[in-house]
Amino acid sequence: MKIIIASQNPVKIEATKIAFQKMIDDDFSFEGINVPSNVRDQPMDHKETLLGAKNRAQNARDNKPNADYWVGIEGGIHNDEFGMQAFAWIVILSKTKNSQAQTAVFYLPEPIAEMVNNGIELGEADDIYFKRSNSKQKDGAVGILTNGLIDRTQYYEHAIIMALIPFQNKR
């Protein structure tokens, strides 16, 4: 079975591999490709983030139609009365089904939220604030803020497993 991941980010590819191997008993090949989300680089609410994940999965299917599954992962933020939430949406398409799931939500420290509100993408804001390089392809905000207890791969993995429920359960 062939799975196309709508990203070349190694974290997203690895999370998808782990989740599919845990959830569905089959042999897989995985390929990450760059496709547009057709939303802002930093989606600013739940609706835009979900749309970005849907667009990525659909654009991956349009680009590589000879696969079994297409996976779109889009990280976003949302401001509410408690501060700025960070999360991601996962969309999985097959030839016969569509599914989606969201990661857990966590709140960003105010200095990072302020940078994001001023137009800096979350990954770049993390790099600036924590004096790191390319953290979004490594542990990401969730890994940094949990001191490595939950890395970005694990964070995505659980939501991908949740999005795979309709494919696992044929009923």
Side-chain angles (χ1 to χ4, degrees), residues 10-157:
V11 170
K12 293 178 180 182
I13 292 169
E14 184 64 17
T16 302
K17 285 180 180 179
I18 292 168
F20 268 83
Q21 290 166 346
K22 284 183 176 180
M23 193 68 169
I24 300 174
D25 184 24
D26 209 327
D27 290 325
F28 298 107
S29 69
F30 297 90
E31 181 182 354
I33 63 170
N34 279 327
V35 294
S37 67
N38 304 113
V39 298
R40 290 180 277 192
D41 287 342
Q42 180 58 72
M44 298 299 283
D45 61 29
H46 288 279
K47 184 178 178 181
E48 184 180 11
T49 307
L50 177 57
L51 179 61
K54 286 179 180 178
N55 289 343
R56 284 189 190 280
Q58 184 59 54
N59 289 337
R61 180 163 50 187
D62 292 346
N63 190 278
K64 297 278 189 172
N66 296 323
D68 298 289
Y69 294 93
W70 300 266
V71 179
I73 302 170
E74 188 74 16
I77 59 93
H78 179 85
N79 286 298
D80 68 14
E81 67 269 24
F82 301 109
M84 181 178 283
Q85 302 175 354
F87 55 88
W89 275 99
I90 314 299
V91 172
I92 300 177
L93 308 177
S94 75
K95 292 178 175 133
T96 60
K97 291 184 182 180
N98 299 346
S99 183
Q100 64 193 38
Q102 184 183 355
T103 62
V105 171
F106 63 95
Y107 286 88
L108 297 170
E110 184 56 39
I112 295 173
E114 187 175 321
M115 282 189 261
V116 174
N117 280 327
N118 287 325
I120 298 173
E121 189 206 359
L122 176 56
E124 185 180 347
D126 287 338
D127 288 347
I128 293 166
Y129 186 75
F130 293 107
K131 297 175 179 38
R132 297 193 175 209
S133 175
N134 203 18
S135 60
K136 72 181 190 175
Q137 291 199 359
K138 298 175 187 164
D139 49 358
V142 70
I144 296 167
L145 295 171
T146 64
N147 294 317
L149 292 175
I150 300 172
D151 68 28
R152 199 164 182 226
T153 302
Q154 294 166 318
Y155 183 64
Y156 290 146
E157 175 194 333

